[in-house]
Amino acid sequence: FDYDSIKNIPDFKNFNKVLEFGAGSGRTSETILTFNKNIKYVICDIPPAIYISYQRLKVAFPEKQINLLLEIDKKEELERSINKNDISFIFPHQIELISKKFFNLTLGINCFHEMDKKTLKYYFKNIENISEYFSFTVWNMALVPYSYTLFRKFGNSLIVDNNDYPIGKDWKIISKIPNIFPCNMIKLLYKLNS
């Protein structure tokens, strides 16, 4: 289901660089790379998930150049390594090193509704800078129970229709469709400003 919505993104067949946040076990990345052999794929995640998807993709694609780029702290070296590899793995702080519109598409499937609003602002601001399109799937309504503050004893609530996600003012919405399963989620696709 996720791949069906991704492959229908305008110009997807011409995309050559994709960034995915929160890839988990790597199921979406494996699907995309199975049908799109020439995409440079970057996964941005945290331990232990980043190592799980790394191991999975090494087994699934033994012919591909796959590397952890977790120690790189220089922009030129990071981008050169991404271009050299077929699949690369980075940590979240490294997205600040990436050039404007370096990626054709950024994905976030079932991960952004797990973050507090401050963290979401960090990611969305950087995604706006480094990507042409942004597709993400989240719960229609979510409560992030461990993001307590002094004044919000019940945590951080995120509701799509309340504009709780920091969507840029000039992002163009391409699609907003209900998820098939689970049905209380929504898939959003935006063309990001230049």
Side-chain angles (χ1 to χ4, degrees):
F1 293 134
D2 291 324
Y3 181 68
D4 258 358
S5 66
I6 293 165
K7 74 177 185 175
N8 292 322
I9 294 172
D11 298 323
F12 180 73
K13 64 182 181 295
N14 298 320
F15 287 178
N16 59 16
K17 283 196 221 69
V18 173
L19 169 65
E20 182 181 359
F21 284 96
S25 68
R27 68 178 170 82
T28 303
S29 48
E30 183 176 348
T31 303
I32 290 171
L33 289 165
T34 296
F35 296 111
N36 303 276
K37 307 285 185 209
N38 296 320
I39 286 179
K40 300 281 185 186
Y41 208 94
V42 177
I43 291 175
C44 181
D45 212 335
I46 58 175
I50 196 166
Y51 300 112
I52 294 168
S53 55
Y54 173 72
Q55 291 299 326
R56 177 187 185 144
L57 295 176
K58 283 183 76 74
V59 170
F61 304 106
E63 75 288 357
K64 290 193 179 284
Q65 183 74 27
I66 303 172
N67 281 297
L68 297 166
L69 309 180
L70 310 177
E71 302 289 324
I72 298 175
D73 62 358
K74 303 257 183 306
K75 176 184 188 133
E76 296 78 18
E77 183 183 354
L78 181 62
E79 291 181 356
R80 187 171 48 254
S81 296
I82 289 170
N83 286 324
K84 184 176 91 171
N85 293 310
D86 298 307
I87 305 170
S88 301
F89 291 82
I90 64 173
F91 280 147
H93 71 275
Q94 292 173 291
I95 62 174
E96 295 177 26
L97 301 174
I98 296 171
S99 293
K100 190 171 180 67
K101 304 304 176 200
F102 187 79
F103 294 102
N104 303 109
L105 172 65
T106 296
L107 301 170
I109 300 170
N110 302 345
C111 63
F112 289 115
H113 54 242
E114 299 172 350
M115 300 176 190
D116 63 40
K117 291 178 183 175
K118 180 179 177 187
T119 304
L120 285 170
K121 283 181 186 174
Y122 170 81
Y123 282 116
F124 280 46
K125 178 181 141 256
N126 281 288
I127 290 166
E128 179 178 41
N129 183 51
I130 63 176
S131 191
E132 297 171 27
Y133 288 90
F134 180 30
S135 175
F136 64 103
T137 305
V138 291
W139 295 102
N140 287 323
M141 297 188 308
L143 178 66
V144 184
Y146 298 105
S147 62
Y148 296 107
T149 66
L150 181 62
F151 301 106
R152 297 184 82 166
K153 76 179 202 177
F154 296 110
N156 183 48
S157 66
L158 296 167
I159 301 171
V160 171
D161 290 335
N162 283 0
N163 299 316
D164 287 337
Y165 291 89
I167 304 301
K169 291 179 203 155
D170 51 354
W171 294 12
K172 180 183 176 197
I173 189 154
I174 305 296
S175 65
K176 180 180 179 181
I177 54 175
N179 206 36
I180 294 172
F181 180 81
C183 62
N184 54 349
M185 298 185 85
I186 191 142
K187 294 177 185 292
L188 299 131
L189 170 64
Y190 289 91
K191 172 85 169 90
L192 307 180
N193 62 344
S194 303

